[in-house]
Amino acid sequence: MLTMKDIIREGDPILRQVAKEVSLPPRQEDVETAKKMLEFLIHSQNPEMAQKYHLRPGVGLAAPQIGISKRLIAVHVTDDNGKLYSVALFNPKIVSHSVQVTYLEGGEGCLSVDRPVPGLVPRYAKITVRGIDHKGEKVELKLKGMPAIVFQHEIDHLDGIMFYDRINKEKPFEPPAQMALYR
Ligand code: ZN
């Protein structure tokens, strides 16, 4: 099983690379990786497991964060209505998004970042994501709220983008009017 020892931390160049598409149908090796990533998130949200294995709770993980530069993400998160999104996706793509932007009031965190980075991270309020699940089947998800934010954070990892790249350096707490990348 994956533990925090397997999580690549900021400063490692792999987190800045554009990850490669996964060849489809997914190979057994890639399916195993997807399952391990999702399992890590589920364990990390289980207080007993988290304490036993010293896991930081996480709602999303991208393959580059475990040292694999491939387009694969896992998400395990519940929306405001209690609906659980628990999925691993190969080659996830945002195929459409709202004009409206949103953000988490407390900012974002990342398993690869061991320090708080204050500031608001603009995200599209609504997105439609397409990808291939661990069974090799096409998936389309229409997302808003927390799940939409988590998927955008994870898909950014596949393009070498960290959440803090999107924080306005001059005015980190100014509510974002539009989607922006401040580098
Ligand atoms: Zn992250």
Side-chain angles (χ1 to χ4, degrees):
M1 63 177 274
L2 295 173
T3 66
M4 294 307 290
K5 283 202 301 290
D6 301 298
I7 305 291
I8 303 291
R9 309 304 163 88
E10 61 177 331
D12 190 304
I14 199 167
L15 292 175
R16 289 311 195 171
Q17 287 170 15
V18 175
K20 288 195 176 64
E21 294 267 321
V22 176
S23 60
L24 299 172
R27 281 187 225 136
Q28 194 54 33
E29 169 198 351
D30 293 330
V31 170
E32 291 304 321
T33 302
K35 286 183 180 168
K36 269 198 291 185
M37 287 166 57
L38 195 53
E39 180 196 65
F40 172 87
L41 296 175
I42 293 167
H43 286 164
S44 82
Q45 293 179 34
N46 174 323
E48 281 171 27
M49 291 294 284
Q51 193 180 24
K52 186 171 174 190
Y53 295 104
H54 310 287
L55 307 178
R56 219 180 115 191
V59 289
L61 189 63
Q65 291 181 276
I66 55 166
I68 299 171
S69 193
K70 290 185 182 178
R71 303 191 80 82
L72 164 60
I73 63 167
V75 172
H76 189 78
V77 70
T78 306
D79 72 10
D80 293 341
N81 299 318
K83 183 176 176 186
L84 174 68
Y85 292 84
S86 186
V87 66
L89 283 186
F90 296 105
N91 303 335
K93 198 166 185 249
I94 296 170
V95 294
S96 68
H97 61 77
S98 59
V99 174
Q100 197 197 346
V101 165
T102 189
Y103 55 89
L104 290 180
E105 278 180 27
E108 294 184 17
C110 179
L111 291 168
S112 296
V113 180
D114 293 324
R115 60 190 172 105
V117 185
L120 305 180
V121 183
R123 299 292 184 187
Y124 297 121
K126 294 181 184 176
I127 56 169
T128 300
V129 175
R130 282 190 198 144
I132 303 294
D133 71 11
H134 66 279
K135 294 178 203 140
E137 308 208 345
K138 282 185 191 167
V139 174
E140 181 177 287
L141 297 167
K142 290 189 190 301
L143 305 164
K144 58 181 179 167
M146 183 69 173
I149 291 170
V150 176
F151 275 81
Q152 287 172 81
H153 178 120
E154 301 315 326
I155 292 170
D156 266 355
H157 275 303
L158 306 182
D159 293 320
I161 297 168
M162 301 294 284
F163 71 93
Y164 44 75
D165 298 342
R166 296 192 182 280
I167 297 173
N168 184 332
K169 302 258 177 320
E170 275 83 58
K171 298 173 180 170
F173 292 102
E174 177 133 307
Q178 57 184 36
M179 195 65 170
L181 191 54
Y182 300 93
R183 295 221 232 200

